[in-house]
Amino acid sequence: MSIDNNKKILVTGAAGQIGIELTATLREKYGTENVIAIDIRETEIAKKGPFKICNVLDLNKYKRIVNDNDIETVYHLAAILSATGEKNPKLCFDINMNGLQNVLEVAREYNQQIFCPSSIAVFGPDVPKEDTPQNVALNPTTVYGLTKVSGELLCDYYFNKYNVDVRGIRYPGLISWKKRPIGGTTDYAVEIYFEAAQKENYQCFVNEETKLPMMYMPDAVRATLELMKAPLESLKHHSNYNLSGMSFTALELVEAIQKIIPNFECTFKPDHRQEIADSWPISVNDDAARKEWGWKPSFNLTSMTKDMLENLRN
Ligand code: NAD
Ligand code: SER
């Protein structure tokens, strides 16, 4: 892929499920040396390009990295996800809110463009479950959802008050094969592929009727880059775009895998994450993303399953 220009980019939470893939794509596009990865853990990502250990709660260190590297754009992915959040609500609130505020304050000072993901977790059980509208009451029941609603509002506040160009997507559950996710409720839809490819059986932690909005990682990364490139004047929303990929029940997911691995067996043993899953929509309406910046998904359950299993078996 050709290198676009010398835009300097920072990715926080770069060692996470989205971070490793988004960082790699940004490096292909803008050049390895122009994309600085930061995280609180040093993993494989540290060997693949510029990397620094940095806790986003450490404002001075974060600001020093931004300043020393002339960062113009930040993809702020550092966060605590839904299931871990319910186990440690204080930590979730602290990292998701105070970390974001640090990123926005530095963005204001250095005139940066920011990407900050939101989530389907902003919705609570009181919204229409199918085709959930873009603009609807947001009453989440998890602390993670609460931080995502407040995060969207804080991002919009920085846009309106300080002209910080901050953009965000309410990602559905993301499915990918490069890293096993930890700490989310939608993790079952990723774990199932890892276990199917390795052991041909899986015990799923939600029941077989559970149906949630999901998306394959290549679509999510493409959506992120497309939103960040969209002309600002075409955007009526900023930090809160609904984004739709596909929706399927846990049983439909098992059946899609069985078409490729006929011996695959799955049992269902719901745990505390069932309640979180039940509080989220089945599908979301993403007309705003389609109209304002031309969003269109490309993977469905069948094409994603084929690609996931091919990659995991390799
Ligand atoms: P992840 O848990 O895989 O990665 C998060 C990364 O942040 C981890 O590598 C972690 O070490 C790092 N981190 C945690 N606290 C930190 C801190 N204080 N300072 C610096 N780094 C820290 O999460 P992910 O799935 O990659 O999610 C990234 C973002 O996308 C989050 O905002 C999440 O809410 C959002 N999102 C993810 C999904 C999904 O399905 N993966 C869906 C909706 C929204
Ligand atoms: N996939 C995320 C989670 O399950 C939703 O934001 O926590």
Side-chain angles (χ1 to χ4, degrees), residues 13 16-18 39 41 54-56 77 118 144 148 171-172 174:
Q17 188 196 3
I18 304 173
D39 205 293
R41 336 176 255 140
C54 175
N55 187 328
V56 289
L77 306 178
S118 185
Y144 171 72
K148 288 296 175 186
Y171 286 135
L174 299 182

Side-chain angles (χ1 to χ4, degrees), residues 18-212:
I18 304 173
I20 51 166
E21 305 222 16
L22 184 63
T23 303
T25 306
L26 289 167
R27 283 180 172 160
E28 269 181 53
K29 211 168 157 42
Y30 297 106
T32 300
E33 294 307 312
N34 291 323
V35 182
I36 318 296
I38 67 169
D39 205 293
I40 44 172
R41 336 176 255 140
E42 187 166 323
T43 62
E44 279 298 295
I45 191 133
K47 297 182 192 145
K48 296 188 172 158
F51 174 83
K52 297 202 183 311
I53 290 281
C54 175
N55 187 328
V56 289
L57 296 176
D58 184 344
L59 179 59
N60 290 334
K61 183 166 183 185
Y62 176 76
K63 201 165 156 176
R64 204 161 53 242
I65 293 172
V66 163
N67 189 62
D68 292 352
N69 293 281
D70 295 324
I71 300 295
E72 294 163 61
T73 306
V74 178
Y75 291 81
H76 176 47
L77 306 178
I80 299 295
L81 271 65
S82 59
T84 306
E86 287 314 287
K87 286 195 183 137
N88 197 338
K90 190 174 179 308
L91 179 76
C92 181
F93 190 89
D94 198 19
I95 293 178
N96 295 11
M97 293 311 308
N98 296 327
L100 173 60
Q101 193 175 27
N102 284 346
V103 168
L104 290 171
E105 269 301 300
V106 173
R108 175 161 83 101
E109 193 175 333
Y110 287 82
N111 196 23
Q112 293 167 327
Q113 188 190 27
I114 303 292
F115 177 80
C116 178
S118 185
S119 161
I120 51 163
V122 294
F123 301 113
D126 57 342
V127 298
K129 281 271 180 200
E130 293 201 42
D131 205 33
T132 305
Q134 172 74 43
N135 300 315
V136 72
L138 301 177
N139 295 306
T141 51
T142 60
V143 67
Y144 171 72
L146 178 162
T147 65
K148 288 296 175 186
V149 175
S150 313
E152 287 182 1
L153 294 171
L154 193 64
C155 289
D156 284 350
Y157 182 81
Y158 271 74
F159 173 75
N160 290 316
K161 192 162 174 92
Y162 304 119
N163 294 319
V164 176
D165 180 3
V166 49
R167 307 178 183 198
I169 287 170
R170 290 173 179 158
Y171 286 135
L174 299 182
I175 297 175
S176 62
W177 54 269
K178 290 195 179 155
K179 181 181 180 298
R180 264 183 105 113
I182 313 165
T185 300
T186 55
D187 292 2
Y188 68 90
V190 187
E191 288 175 4
I192 194 168
Y193 285 108
F194 278 78
E195 298 299 312
Q198 284 159 16
K199 299 194 302 206
E200 301 197 350
N201 65 67
Y202 177 60
Q203 181 170 290
C204 182
F205 60 75
V206 295
N207 66 36
E208 57 187 44
E209 293 98 43
T210 304
K211 188 170 183 180
L212 291 173

Side-chain angles (χ1 to χ4, degrees), residues 5-22:
N5 55 34
N6 281 341
K7 205 169 168 167
K8 290 284 205 160
I9 296 170
L10 183 74
V11 182
T12 77
Q17 188 196 3
I18 304 173
I20 51 166
E21 305 222 16
L22 184 63

